[in-house]
Amino acid sequence: QKEVEQNSGPLSVPEGAIASLNCTYSDRVSQSFFWYRQYSGKSPELIMSIYSNGDKEDGRFTAQLNKASQYVSLLIRDSQPSDSATYLCAVNGPGGTSYGKLTFGQGTILTVHP
Amino acid sequence: DTEVTQTPKHLVMGMTNKKSLKCEQHMGHRAMYWYKQKAKKPPELMFVYSYEKLSINESVPSRFSPECPNSSLLNLHLHALQPEDSALYLCASSQDSSGMGDTQYFGPGTRLTVL
């Protein structure tokens, strides 16, 4: 069983729409959750981090965490063509004790078309 | 400032060469990481240094040798690599690898090609 799962996509949305990216994780004791954006040929860039159940908003981005369902999502409002990238979900450690060991999902490719 | 720098940006080497990748951060972070990323795959952790000591080695072949000369610098020494080692090598740093919520920031990466 994969530890962090994401739909690989590609997810295609029109400009101005809401893009919804989803991620599930298998280790119930995971504590920290991150979304990174990676443009083709570039390195991952931190978009959001979330540690508590509920929503966390930063500009056009909202991260949502539901630990009971082991589910974390990223919503991008008013999507722009510049948001087209691969979005990586990352979870801190398997077992909750291996801090420093991020487990990444396979990434979701997002395309925002004009 | 969340800047991690890496040199060189690109490196081409033969299988008999010895080369080094360098990473530097000035954020006062005490944990530093090396990742390897192949095309269309997520980053794979190679090594973690915490307070200048190697804390995680993900069973990486000995042709990759990490070094942490001080808390700001991280090197990856390369020797006798194989063509399948060609990848994007990413360095990251974080405040402290032992804490919950420790956030990793990535450098721009070194694109390595082994001929």
Side-chain angles (χ1 to χ4, degrees):
Chain A
Q1 181 185 5
K2 286 185 182 176
E3 295 177 359
V4 179
E5 292 202 44
Q6 297 179 249
N7 289 330
S8 61
L11 173 65
S12 182
V13 300
E15 185 174 355
I18 295 175
S20 178
L21 305 164
N22 304 316
C23 174
T24 57
Y25 59 95
S26 60
D27 190 345
R28 189 169 289 280
V29 299
S30 296
Q31 297 286 340
S32 308
F33 308 88
F34 305 90
W35 284 100
Y36 289 87
R37 176 176 65 196
Q38 187 170 26
Y39 294 113
S40 181
K42 302 294 186 183
S43 65
E45 173 192 8
L46 181 71
I47 297 294
M48 294 284 284
S49 58
I50 187 165
Y51 315 117
S52 304
N53 280 329
D55 295 359
K56 180 181 178 183
E57 188 175 317
D58 183 0
R60 295 186 296 113
F61 299 96
T62 299
Q64 300 174 317
L65 176 61
N66 183 326
K67 289 186 179 181
S69 301
Q70 294 173 243
Y71 174 92
V72 58
S73 66
L74 181 70
L75 299 177
I76 306 174
R77 289 183 299 283
D78 188 24
S79 295
Q80 301 297 309
S82 58
D83 295 325
S84 298
T86 297
Y87 288 80
L88 295 162
C89 173
V91 177
N92 179 274
T97 58
S98 298
Y99 294 121
K101 190 169 178 178
L102 278 183
T103 301
F104 286 89
Q106 291 297 305
T108 297
I109 299 170
L110 172 66
T111 301
V112 180
H113 54 87
Chain B
D1 183 10
T2 55
E3 186 175 2
V4 178
T5 59
Q6 289 186 246
T7 56
K9 286 189 171 65
H10 301 274
L11 179 62
V12 179
M13 61 185 290
M15 289 189 284
T16 58
N17 291 158
K18 284 185 181 180
K19 296 286 185 183
S20 297
L21 308 185
K22 296 186 185 302
C23 174
E24 189 168 7
Q25 58 89 12
H26 292 290
M27 296 177 279
H29 288 174
R30 302 313 301 265
M32 296 185 77
Y33 311 78
W34 281 114
Y35 288 86
K36 173 183 175 180
Q37 187 176 25
K38 303 282 273 187
K40 300 189 189 304
K41 296 291 186 184
E44 295 176 43
L45 183 65
M46 300 174 72
F47 303 103
V48 180
Y49 273 84
S50 178
Y51 289 85
E52 299 162 47
K53 289 189 180 351
L54 184 64
S55 61
I56 296 177
N57 176 339
E58 290 289 276
S59 302
V60 178
S62 60
R63 57 185 185 269
F64 295 91
S65 175
E67 178 196 18
C68 188
N70 60 56
S71 59
S72 301
L73 291 173
L74 185 66
N75 298 323
L76 186 63
H77 303 296
L78 314 172
H79 174 56
L81 294 193
Q82 303 297 309
E84 58 265 29
D85 296 321
S86 299
L88 180 67
Y89 286 84
L90 296 162
C91 175
S93 73
S94 69
Q95 192 71 36
D96 179 341
S97 72
S98 62
M100 185 186 83
D102 197 38
T103 302
Q104 295 184 26
Y105 298 93
F106 286 85
T110 293
R111 176 73 60 191
L112 174 67
T113 302
V114 182
L115 300 176

